[in-house]
Amino acid sequence: MKKALIIVDVQNDFCEGGALAVPGANEVIPYINALMDENEYDQIVLTQDWHPANHKSFASNNGRKVGESIILNGVPQFMWPDHCIQGTFGAEFHKDLNRDKVTHIVQKGKNVEIDSYSGFQDNNHFMKTGLDDFLKYHDIQLLEIVGLAMDYCVKFTCIDAVNSGYVTCLHFNGTRAVNVKPDNGRDAIYDMIQKGVTVLG
């Protein structure tokens, strides 16, 4: 069974000191590097939040405060601080993440009108990123998933992976949650298990 490692959004803005820093984010980088060193993956894929500066998920572009919600194209949208803007330092991958074995990069969140948590598609399920096509082209059947953040981009990437027919495993030690609400990370784990994701570690 061919397998791939999917590394979700290990970017400066989600790491320590970033615009949308995930608590404990930097702790996952050595774990992810060790996975790449100690395992043989047929493909290693990075996903990258890659927002235009006028993205509608940013509170600043809606006259709203961070933490409020609006309806965006028919679905609820949490209002985030400006983050991972195309071409900025915040959108770059963290310097400590070893990218020597990376075979593919998928950029998401490029459509100003629709947010995209999942590495597979936008939140409205209108547009695919090409990740599924890439994996199927390379006959990948098993996905191991790590990265940031567990209760948003990692969760939806895992669920879409299951729905796309992959055997899907989340490395618990390779992810951290935003926890906008204290139980978000815990609830995300329950959601993923219920959908068929295997949680390792």
Side-chain angles (χ1 to χ4, degrees):
M1 187 181 289
K2 289 190 173 182
K3 67 178 179 177
L5 180 67
I6 310 296
I7 304 171
V8 179
D9 298 1
V10 181
Q11 296 166 255
N12 290 321
D13 270 345
F14 295 128
C15 294
E16 186 177 324
L20 184 45
V22 178
N26 290 47
E27 298 166 7
V28 307
I29 298 175
Y31 181 87
I32 295 170
N33 288 341
L35 281 180
M36 291 187 280
D37 286 340
E38 296 165 10
N39 296 273
E40 289 293 328
Y41 294 103
D42 296 285
Q43 301 291 332
I44 296 178
V45 180
L46 301 179
T47 74
Q48 183 179 32
D49 246 12
W50 194 247
H51 295 306
N54 60 338
H55 201 273
K56 295 282 183 69
S57 69
F58 296 166
S60 64
N61 291 327
N62 293 278
R64 300 298 185 103
K65 294 179 180 177
V66 172
E68 292 183 8
S69 288
I70 64 169
I71 299 298
L72 184 60
N73 290 299
V75 298
Q77 174 64 54
F78 189 88
M79 292 285 90
W80 298 109
D82 295 17
H83 66 279
C84 297
I85 294 171
Q86 296 174 4
T88 65
F89 174 78
E92 293 175 10
F93 297 110
H94 194 281
K95 63 178 176 58
D96 293 339
L97 180 68
N98 185 352
R99 289 182 281 154
D100 291 347
K101 297 180 181 179
V102 170
T103 57
H104 191 59
I105 296 173
V106 171
Q107 294 179 330
K108 60 191 180 67
K110 296 187 287 186
N111 184 337
V112 67
E113 298 289 337
I114 305 173
D115 210 355
S116 187
Y117 296 149
S118 169
F120 285 89
Q121 61 187 343
D122 66 71
N123 293 359
N124 294 63
H125 300 178
F126 290 160
M127 296 286 292
K128 305 280 189 181
T129 62
L131 176 58
D132 187 41
D133 288 340
F134 174 83
L135 296 171
K136 286 189 165 56
Y137 177 80
H138 290 283
D139 299 319
I140 301 297
Q141 296 168 286
L142 170 63
L143 299 183
E144 296 180 19
I145 299 176
V146 293
L148 305 169
M150 181 170 67
D151 39 353
Y152 286 94
C153 297
V154 169
K155 169 186 166 180
F156 287 101
T157 299
C158 284
I159 290 172
D160 279 350
V162 170
N163 291 339
S164 298
Y166 300 97
V167 178
T168 305
C169 302
L170 170 69
H171 284 272
F172 182 76
N173 291 326
T175 186
R176 293 291 185 274
V178 177
N179 281 330
V180 170
K181 295 179 181 176
D183 293 336
N184 284 163
R186 183 199 67 185
D187 292 346
I189 290 289
Y190 290 152
D191 288 347
M192 286 185 276
I193 291 172
Q194 194 171 35
K195 293 291 196 307
V197 177
T198 299
V199 178
L200 306 173

